Amino acid sequence: MITEQNITSHELIGLHTEITESSNSQIIGLNGTITDETKSMIIMSTKNGTKMIAKSNNSWKFTLDGKDIIVNGMQIAKRSFDRIGGRA
C-alpha cells in the first residue's frame, strides 16, 4: 500500500499527479495520470495529450486518501527499479 512514508520507493505508474513547483512556470498546475517513467522523465496522460516532463526540476503533488503529498523530483529521479528495490 502506498503511504506518505513510502511513496518515493513505490511504483508511480497509474497515480494522478500535479506539478506544484517548476523551473518552467508554464507547466505549473499541469496534471494527469502517470503512464510511464524513465530515470529522469515522467510520461503522463493529460487532457491535452501525452506529456514528457523532467522529474528533477519539479515538485510533484500526489493525493493519497484525501491527503496531498508533495515530492521533490530529486527524490524520485532514479529508475523505478532502483527506487522500488531500495538501491541508492
Side-chain angles (χ1 to χ4, degrees):
M1 179 174 175
I2 304 174
T3 66
E4 182 176 2
Q5 291 76 29
N6 72 6
I7 192 166
T8 58
S9 60
H10 204 282
E11 179 65 59
L12 300 176
I13 295 173
L15 295 180
H16 188 270
T17 189
E18 179 180 342
I19 299 171
T20 58
E21 293 181 32
S22 178
S23 57
N24 177 357
S25 62
Q26 294 182 345
I27 63 171
I28 294 174
L30 183 67
N31 64 75
T33 302
I34 298 174
T35 56
D36 201 3
E37 68 174 305
T38 65
K39 178 181 176 185
S40 59
M41 303 289 279
I42 284 182
I43 296 97
M44 56 194 266
S45 176
T46 70
K47 65 180 181 178
N48 295 324
T50 301
K51 307 289 183 188
M52 292 182 68
I53 310 293
K55 290 178 179 178
S56 61
N57 298 334
N58 305 300
S59 289
W60 303 85
K61 178 174 80 173
F62 299 94
T63 303
L64 298 174
D65 298 324
K67 184 176 181 183
D68 290 341
I69 300 165
I70 306 294
V71 176
N72 183 313
M74 291 302 291
Q75 294 176 293
I76 57 173
K78 299 178 185 174
R79 294 180 300 167
S80 60
F81 174 81
D82 292 339
R83 275 197 339 268
I84 293 168
R87 292 173 32 196

